[in-house]
Amino acid sequence: MSVAGSVEGTWDLSISTPIGRIKAVIELHDEGGTLTGTAHGAEEEVPLADVALEGDQLTWRQAITKPMRLNLAFTMTVQGETMTGTSKAGRLPSSKVTGQRRAVPVEAEG
């Protein structure tokens, strides 16, 4: 398994923001050693930008338009099937983020 492959999959995120808890889903893929991804939430789907994994630290950026237009920067620490970290939007305070990888059905492996 490549380093990027260790974070591949579908992750359910919970983001604690000043306006309440926001649920989001990200999908991460290893395309020839390059991490790519998509985020789903608040009735929109957006691509992840600058996805990078260094050691156990995963970072990415994404732009959203709902519930408001924001450019978000995520800094997460991945530990097996969970990730924890923060999301930062401009000058707003950082929001705490937790994530859990969805289990892959056994028949889908290999």
Side-chain angles (χ1 to χ4, degrees):
M1 181 184 295
S2 70
V3 173
S6 65
V7 297
E8 275 189 292
T10 302
W11 295 81
D12 292 301
L13 301 183
S14 179
I15 307 164
S16 300
T17 74
I19 60 169
R21 190 174 299 277
I22 295 175
K23 299 282 187 189
V25 175
I26 60 166
E27 294 177 23
L28 296 171
H29 307 281
D30 181 358
E31 295 184 7
T34 300
L35 269 172
T36 63
T38 308
H40 310 268
E43 302 165 25
E44 69 179 340
E45 180 177 313
V46 297
L48 303 183
D50 301 331
V51 184
L53 180 68
E54 291 185 24
D56 62 358
Q57 184 166 302
L58 176 68
T59 57
W60 73 88
R61 293 182 309 108
Q62 68 187 70
I64 61 169
T65 61
K66 297 175 184 175
M68 63 187 78
R69 190 174 294 277
L70 292 171
N71 291 313
L72 303 174
F74 286 79
T75 303
M76 306 294 291
T77 299
V78 179
Q79 294 171 315
E81 303 304 302
T82 62
M83 64 170 75
T84 56
T86 59
S87 169
K88 184 94 171 96
R91 293 189 297 260
L92 296 174
S94 293
S95 296
K96 197 171 189 168
V97 182
T98 59
Q100 184 76 36
R101 189 189 332 237
R102 288 189 186 168
V104 176
V106 173
E107 61 272 14
E109 290 180 355

